[in-house]
Short mmCIF file of all heavy atoms in Angstrom, two decimals:
data_model
loop_
_atom_site.label_atom_id
_atom_site.label_comp_id
_atom_site.label_asym_id
_atom_site.label_seq_id
_atom_site.Cartn_x
_atom_site.Cartn_y
_atom_site.Cartn_z
N VAL X 211 95.44 119.32 182.47
CA VAL X 211 94.20 120.05 182.02
C VAL X 211 94.61 121.40 181.45
O VAL X 211 93.88 121.84 180.58
CB VAL X 211 93.24 120.19 183.23
CG1 VAL X 211 92.71 118.83 183.68
CG2 VAL X 211 93.76 121.00 184.41
N ASP X 212 95.66 122.02 181.92
CA ASP X 212 96.14 123.23 181.38
C ASP X 212 96.53 123.14 179.92
O ASP X 212 96.30 124.10 179.09
CB ASP X 212 97.33 123.80 182.18
CG ASP X 212 96.93 124.37 183.53
OD1 ASP X 212 95.75 124.56 183.73
OD2 ASP X 212 97.76 124.67 184.33
N GLU X 213 97.15 122.01 179.57
CA GLU X 213 97.55 121.92 178.16
C GLU X 213 96.53 121.18 177.25
O GLU X 213 96.74 121.13 176.09
CB GLU X 213 98.93 121.10 178.09
CG GLU X 213 98.80 119.65 178.43
CD GLU X 213 100.22 118.96 178.36
OE1 GLU X 213 101.12 119.43 178.94
OE2 GLU X 213 100.23 117.90 177.67
N ALA X 214 95.50 120.62 177.88
CA ALA X 214 94.53 119.73 177.07
C ALA X 214 93.16 120.30 176.98
O ALA X 214 92.45 119.94 176.04
CB ALA X 214 94.57 118.34 177.64
N ILE X 215 92.69 121.11 178.02
CA ILE X 215 91.24 121.35 178.18
C ILE X 215 91.07 122.88 178.19
O ILE X 215 91.77 123.61 178.92
CB ILE X 215 90.67 120.70 179.43
CG1 ILE X 215 90.91 119.17 179.34
CG2 ILE X 215 89.18 121.05 179.57
CD1 ILE X 215 90.45 118.42 180.58
N GLU X 216 90.08 123.37 177.48
CA GLU X 216 89.73 124.76 177.45
C GLU X 216 89.25 125.25 178.81
O GLU X 216 88.43 124.57 179.47
CB GLU X 216 88.61 125.00 176.44
CG GLU X 216 88.31 126.47 176.12
CD GLU X 216 89.46 127.07 175.22
OE1 GLU X 216 90.00 126.45 174.36
OE2 GLU X 216 89.76 128.29 175.46
N PRO X 217 89.84 126.36 179.36
CA PRO X 217 89.32 126.91 180.65
C PRO X 217 87.85 127.06 180.65
O PRO X 217 87.26 127.52 179.62
CB PRO X 217 90.12 128.18 180.74
CG PRO X 217 91.30 128.03 179.96
CD PRO X 217 90.92 127.19 178.82
N GLY X 218 87.17 126.78 181.79
CA GLY X 218 85.72 126.99 181.94
C GLY X 218 84.94 125.83 181.54
O GLY X 218 83.72 125.81 181.70
N SER X 219 85.62 124.71 181.06
CA SER X 219 84.85 123.45 180.60
C SER X 219 84.27 122.79 181.89
O SER X 219 84.71 122.99 182.92
CB SER X 219 85.79 122.56 179.92
OG SER X 219 86.24 123.12 178.67
N LYS X 220 83.27 121.98 181.64
CA LYS X 220 82.62 121.18 182.68
C LYS X 220 83.36 119.79 182.69
O LYS X 220 83.39 119.08 181.61
CB LYS X 220 81.16 121.00 182.40
CG LYS X 220 80.48 120.21 183.48
CD LYS X 220 78.95 119.93 183.07
CE LYS X 220 78.21 121.24 183.13
NZ LYS X 220 76.79 121.00 182.84
N ILE X 221 83.97 119.44 183.90
CA ILE X 221 84.72 118.17 183.90
C ILE X 221 84.14 117.24 184.94
O ILE X 221 83.84 117.64 186.02
CB ILE X 221 86.19 118.44 184.31
CG1 ILE X 221 86.87 119.39 183.28
CG2 ILE X 221 86.97 117.14 184.50
CD1 ILE X 221 88.28 119.72 183.64
N ALA X 222 83.89 115.97 184.52
CA ALA X 222 83.46 114.91 185.37
C ALA X 222 84.54 114.05 185.69
O ALA X 222 85.29 113.54 184.83
CB ALA X 222 82.24 114.18 184.68
N THR X 223 84.69 113.64 187.03
CA THR X 223 85.77 112.69 187.44
C THR X 223 85.16 111.76 188.49
O THR X 223 83.98 112.06 189.01
CB THR X 223 86.93 113.42 188.08
OG1 THR X 223 86.60 113.95 189.33
CG2 THR X 223 87.49 114.50 187.17
N ASP X 224 85.98 110.78 188.89
CA ASP X 224 85.57 110.03 190.04
C ASP X 224 86.00 110.81 191.30
O ASP X 224 86.43 111.96 191.22
CB ASP X 224 86.16 108.62 190.01
CG ASP X 224 87.68 108.61 190.01
OD1 ASP X 224 88.33 109.57 190.45
OD2 ASP X 224 88.25 107.55 189.50
N SER X 225 86.00 110.20 192.49
CA SER X 225 86.22 110.92 193.73
C SER X 225 87.69 110.82 194.18
O SER X 225 88.00 111.20 195.26
CB SER X 225 85.36 110.29 194.82
OG SER X 225 85.62 108.86 194.93
N PHE X 226 88.61 110.40 193.31
CA PHE X 226 89.97 110.45 193.59
C PHE X 226 90.43 111.80 194.05
O PHE X 226 90.15 112.81 193.32
CB PHE X 226 90.79 109.87 192.40
CG PHE X 226 92.27 109.53 192.72
CD1 PHE X 226 92.67 109.20 194.00
CD2 PHE X 226 93.09 109.39 191.68
CE1 PHE X 226 93.94 108.92 194.28
CE2 PHE X 226 94.45 109.06 191.93
CZ PHE X 226 94.89 108.75 193.21
N ARG X 227 91.13 111.93 195.11
CA ARG X 227 91.49 113.22 195.72
C ARG X 227 92.35 114.13 194.84
O ARG X 227 92.29 115.42 194.99
CB ARG X 227 92.16 113.07 197.08
CG ARG X 227 93.46 112.27 196.95
CD ARG X 227 94.12 112.02 198.30
NE ARG X 227 95.28 111.18 198.21
CZ ARG X 227 96.41 111.56 197.73
NH1 ARG X 227 96.69 112.87 197.37
NH2 ARG X 227 97.50 110.78 197.76
N ILE X 228 93.12 113.56 193.83
CA ILE X 228 93.95 114.39 193.06
C ILE X 228 93.15 115.37 192.19
O ILE X 228 93.70 116.29 191.61
CB ILE X 228 94.85 113.55 192.18
CG1 ILE X 228 94.12 112.72 191.15
CG2 ILE X 228 95.77 112.65 192.89
CD1 ILE X 228 94.95 112.05 190.07
N TYR X 229 91.88 115.09 192.01
CA TYR X 229 91.01 115.95 191.12
C TYR X 229 90.32 117.14 191.90
O TYR X 229 89.55 117.84 191.35
CB TYR X 229 89.92 115.15 190.51
CG TYR X 229 90.50 114.03 189.53
CD1 TYR X 229 90.15 112.71 189.79
CD2 TYR X 229 91.27 114.32 188.50
CE1 TYR X 229 90.63 111.64 189.03
CE2 TYR X 229 91.81 113.29 187.65
CZ TYR X 229 91.45 111.94 188.03
OH TYR X 229 91.94 111.01 187.12
N ASN X 230 90.59 117.14 193.25
CA ASN X 230 89.89 118.07 194.13
C ASN X 230 90.09 119.57 193.79
O ASN X 230 89.28 120.43 194.11
CB ASN X 230 90.22 117.85 195.57
CG ASN X 230 89.59 116.57 196.10
OD1 ASN X 230 88.70 116.03 195.48
ND2 ASN X 230 90.06 116.09 197.29
N SER X 231 91.20 119.87 193.13
CA SER X 231 91.54 121.31 192.93
C SER X 231 91.04 121.78 191.55
O SER X 231 91.28 122.93 191.14
CB SER X 231 93.03 121.42 192.94
OG SER X 231 93.72 120.77 191.91
N LEU X 232 90.36 121.00 190.80
CA LEU X 232 89.87 121.38 189.49
C LEU X 232 89.03 122.68 189.55
O LEU X 232 89.12 123.57 188.65
CB LEU X 232 89.20 120.26 188.65
CG LEU X 232 89.98 119.07 188.23
CD1 LEU X 232 89.11 118.00 187.72
CD2 LEU X 232 90.91 119.59 187.15
N ALA X 233 88.12 122.64 190.46
CA ALA X 233 87.22 123.81 190.66
C ALA X 233 88.02 125.12 190.89
O ALA X 233 87.62 126.21 190.44
CB ALA X 233 86.16 123.57 191.71
N ASP X 234 89.14 124.97 191.57
CA ASP X 234 89.95 126.16 191.95
C ASP X 234 90.81 126.62 190.73
O ASP X 234 91.26 127.71 190.73
CB ASP X 234 90.96 125.82 193.07
CG ASP X 234 90.28 125.41 194.33
OD1 ASP X 234 89.15 125.92 194.57
OD2 ASP X 234 90.80 124.62 195.08
N ASN X 235 90.87 125.77 189.72
CA ASN X 235 91.55 126.16 188.43
C ASN X 235 90.72 126.57 187.32
O ASN X 235 91.07 126.56 186.18
CB ASN X 235 92.38 124.91 187.99
CG ASN X 235 93.45 124.62 189.05
OD1 ASN X 235 94.12 125.47 189.61
ND2 ASN X 235 93.70 123.27 189.24
N GLY X 236 89.42 127.03 187.67
CA GLY X 236 88.50 127.54 186.68
C GLY X 236 87.67 126.64 185.94
O GLY X 236 87.12 126.98 184.89
N PHE X 237 87.48 125.41 186.44
CA PHE X 237 86.60 124.42 185.76
C PHE X 237 85.39 124.06 186.56
O PHE X 237 85.39 124.23 187.83
CB PHE X 237 87.34 123.13 185.48
CG PHE X 237 88.54 123.31 184.64
CD1 PHE X 237 89.86 123.38 185.14
CD2 PHE X 237 88.38 123.21 183.26
CE1 PHE X 237 90.94 123.49 184.36
CE2 PHE X 237 89.47 123.44 182.43
CZ PHE X 237 90.74 123.50 182.91
N GLU X 238 84.28 123.77 185.89
CA GLU X 238 83.15 123.33 186.71
C GLU X 238 83.30 121.84 186.89
O GLU X 238 83.33 121.08 185.95
CB GLU X 238 81.78 123.57 185.89
CG GLU X 238 80.54 123.14 186.51
CD GLU X 238 79.33 123.43 185.78
OE1 GLU X 238 79.41 124.29 184.80
OE2 GLU X 238 78.32 122.68 185.97
N HIS X 239 83.45 121.42 188.17
CA HIS X 239 83.90 120.02 188.52
C HIS X 239 82.75 119.28 189.09
O HIS X 239 82.16 119.68 190.12
CB HIS X 239 85.06 120.06 189.48
CG HIS X 239 85.61 118.82 189.77
ND1 HIS X 239 86.34 118.51 190.93
CD2 HIS X 239 85.53 117.55 189.10
CE1 HIS X 239 86.68 117.24 190.96
NE2 HIS X 239 86.20 116.60 189.91
N ASN X 240 82.40 118.11 188.51
CA ASN X 240 81.42 117.23 189.02
C ASN X 240 82.05 115.88 189.43
O ASN X 240 82.72 115.22 188.58
CB ASN X 240 80.28 116.95 188.02
CG ASN X 240 79.45 118.16 187.70
OD1 ASN X 240 79.21 118.98 188.60
ND2 ASN X 240 79.10 118.42 186.42
N LYS X 241 82.03 115.63 190.78
CA LYS X 241 82.62 114.38 191.29
C LYS X 241 81.57 113.32 191.49
O LYS X 241 80.47 113.57 191.99
CB LYS X 241 83.41 114.63 192.57
CG LYS X 241 84.62 115.42 192.45
CD LYS X 241 85.50 115.44 193.71
CE LYS X 241 84.72 116.02 194.93
NZ LYS X 241 85.56 115.93 196.11
N PHE X 242 82.05 112.03 191.21
CA PHE X 242 81.15 110.86 191.41
C PHE X 242 81.90 109.79 192.19
O PHE X 242 83.09 109.62 192.02
CB PHE X 242 80.69 110.31 190.09
CG PHE X 242 79.80 111.23 189.24
CD1 PHE X 242 80.49 112.22 188.35
CD2 PHE X 242 78.48 111.26 189.34
CE1 PHE X 242 79.78 113.10 187.63
CE2 PHE X 242 77.76 112.24 188.66
CZ PHE X 242 78.43 113.14 187.79
N LEU X 243 81.23 109.17 193.09
CA LEU X 243 81.83 108.19 193.96
C LEU X 243 82.26 107.04 193.15
O LEU X 243 81.49 106.39 192.39
CB LEU X 243 80.86 107.74 195.09
CG LEU X 243 81.39 106.77 196.10
CD1 LEU X 243 82.51 107.38 196.88
CD2 LEU X 243 80.28 106.24 197.05
N SER X 244 83.59 106.71 193.23
CA SER X 244 84.12 105.63 192.41
C SER X 244 83.41 104.33 192.56
O SER X 244 83.05 103.86 193.74
CB SER X 244 85.61 105.42 192.87
OG SER X 244 86.34 106.63 192.64
N GLY X 245 83.19 103.62 191.50
CA GLY X 245 82.63 102.28 191.54
C GLY X 245 81.08 102.26 191.47
O GLY X 245 80.51 101.18 191.41
N THR X 246 80.45 103.43 191.64
CA THR X 246 79.03 103.41 191.64
C THR X 246 78.47 103.47 190.21
O THR X 246 79.17 103.97 189.25
CB THR X 246 78.51 104.65 192.41
OG1 THR X 246 78.92 105.92 191.64
CG2 THR X 246 79.08 104.70 193.83
N PRO X 247 77.18 103.10 190.00
CA PRO X 247 76.61 103.22 188.71
C PRO X 247 76.61 104.59 188.07
O PRO X 247 76.79 104.81 186.89
CB PRO X 247 75.18 102.76 188.96
CG PRO X 247 75.24 101.84 190.03
CD PRO X 247 76.27 102.47 190.98
N GLU X 248 76.48 105.58 188.99
CA GLU X 248 76.45 107.07 188.57
C GLU X 248 77.81 107.32 188.03
O GLU X 248 77.93 108.11 186.95
CB GLU X 248 76.06 107.91 189.78
CG GLU X 248 74.62 107.79 190.23
CD GLU X 248 74.42 106.60 191.11
OE1 GLU X 248 75.40 105.99 191.54
OE2 GLU X 248 73.25 106.25 191.29
N CYS X 249 78.87 106.88 188.76
CA CYS X 249 80.27 107.24 188.23
C CYS X 249 80.54 106.49 186.91
O CYS X 249 81.07 107.08 185.95
CB CYS X 249 81.22 106.81 189.36
SG CYS X 249 83.01 107.16 188.91
N ASN X 250 80.14 105.24 186.85
CA ASN X 250 80.33 104.55 185.55
C ASN X 250 79.67 105.13 184.43
O ASN X 250 80.13 105.19 183.33
CB ASN X 250 79.87 103.08 185.74
CG ASN X 250 80.78 102.28 186.74
OD1 ASN X 250 81.89 102.66 186.91
ND2 ASN X 250 80.24 101.30 187.32
N GLN X 251 78.44 105.69 184.65
CA GLN X 251 77.71 106.40 183.54
C GLN X 251 78.38 107.71 183.23
O GLN X 251 78.45 108.05 182.08
CB GLN X 251 76.25 106.57 183.98
CG GLN X 251 75.39 107.22 182.90
CD GLN X 251 73.98 107.38 183.32
OE1 GLN X 251 73.54 106.93 184.39
NE2 GLN X 251 73.16 107.97 182.45
N ALA X 252 78.83 108.48 184.24
CA ALA X 252 79.41 109.75 184.02
C ALA X 252 80.70 109.66 183.27
O ALA X 252 81.14 110.58 182.57
CB ALA X 252 79.61 110.49 185.34
N LEU X 253 81.45 108.52 183.45
CA LEU X 253 82.76 108.35 182.80
C LEU X 253 82.69 107.24 181.69
O LEU X 253 83.75 106.60 181.43
CB LEU X 253 83.80 108.03 183.88
CG LEU X 253 84.00 109.09 184.90
CD1 LEU X 253 85.07 108.56 185.92
CD2 LEU X 253 84.41 110.43 184.36
N ASP X 254 81.50 106.98 181.19
CA ASP X 254 81.39 105.83 180.24
C ASP X 254 82.34 105.81 179.13
O ASP X 254 83.00 104.82 178.76
CB ASP X 254 79.91 105.64 179.85
CG ASP X 254 79.35 106.91 179.14
OD1 ASP X 254 80.00 107.98 179.19
OD2 ASP X 254 78.26 106.81 178.68
N TRP X 255 82.41 107.01 178.41
CA TRP X 255 83.27 107.09 177.22
C TRP X 255 84.75 107.08 177.55
O TRP X 255 85.56 106.60 176.81
CB TRP X 255 82.83 108.23 176.42
CG TRP X 255 81.61 107.99 175.61
CD1 TRP X 255 80.38 108.57 175.76
CD2 TRP X 255 81.48 107.05 174.55
NE1 TRP X 255 79.43 108.09 174.83
CE2 TRP X 255 80.10 107.10 174.15
CE3 TRP X 255 82.31 106.09 173.95
CZ2 TRP X 255 79.56 106.30 173.16
CZ3 TRP X 255 81.79 105.32 172.93
CH2 TRP X 255 80.49 105.41 172.57
N ALA X 256 85.12 107.67 178.77
CA ALA X 256 86.51 107.56 179.19
C ALA X 256 86.90 106.13 179.41
O ALA X 256 87.98 105.75 178.95
CB ALA X 256 86.71 108.43 180.46
N HIS X 257 86.03 105.35 180.02
CA HIS X 257 86.36 103.95 180.29
C HIS X 257 86.48 103.18 178.90
O HIS X 257 87.34 102.38 178.78
CB HIS X 257 85.23 103.32 181.14
CG HIS X 257 85.27 103.87 182.51
ND1 HIS X 257 84.20 103.76 183.39
CD2 HIS X 257 86.21 104.64 183.22
CE1 HIS X 257 84.44 104.33 184.57
NE2 HIS X 257 85.70 104.85 184.52
N THR X 258 85.53 103.51 177.98
CA THR X 258 85.57 102.79 176.70
C THR X 258 86.80 103.11 175.95
O THR X 258 87.47 102.14 175.28
CB THR X 258 84.32 103.23 175.86
OG1 THR X 258 83.14 102.82 176.55
CG2 THR X 258 84.33 102.62 174.50
N ILE X 259 87.19 104.40 175.94
CA ILE X 259 88.42 104.74 175.13
C ILE X 259 89.65 104.20 175.76
O ILE X 259 90.60 103.83 175.06
CB ILE X 259 88.47 106.30 175.06
CG1 ILE X 259 87.41 106.74 173.99
CG2 ILE X 259 89.85 106.79 174.70
CD1 ILE X 259 87.18 108.25 173.96
N ILE X 260 89.76 104.10 177.15
CA ILE X 260 90.85 103.45 177.76
C ILE X 260 90.97 101.96 177.37
O ILE X 260 92.04 101.45 176.99
CB ILE X 260 90.64 103.55 179.30
CG1 ILE X 260 90.94 104.99 179.75
CG2 ILE X 260 91.68 102.63 180.04
CD1 ILE X 260 90.52 105.24 181.21
N SER X 261 89.87 101.29 177.41
CA SER X 261 89.76 99.90 176.91
C SER X 261 90.23 99.72 175.50
O SER X 261 90.99 98.80 175.21
CB SER X 261 88.40 99.32 177.17
OG SER X 261 88.31 97.99 176.70
#
Side-chain angles (χ1 to χ4, degrees):
V211 298
D212 283 348
E213 68 178 52
I215 302 174
E216 192 73 37
S219 298
K220 181 186 293 185
I221 301 179
T223 72
D224 61 21
S225 55
F226 193 19
R227 58 181 176 78
I228 64 170
Y229 300 120
N230 288 346
S231 63
L232 287 174
D234 298 330
N235 293 322
F237 298 97
E238 182 179 338
H239 183 203
N240 295 320
K241 288 193 298 182
F242 297 86
L243 185 62
S244 303
T246 62
E248 291 78 14
C249 184
N250 291 336
Q251 182 176 356
L253 301 179
D254 56 351
W255 282 113
H257 295 163
T258 297
I259 285 172
I260 290 168
S261 176

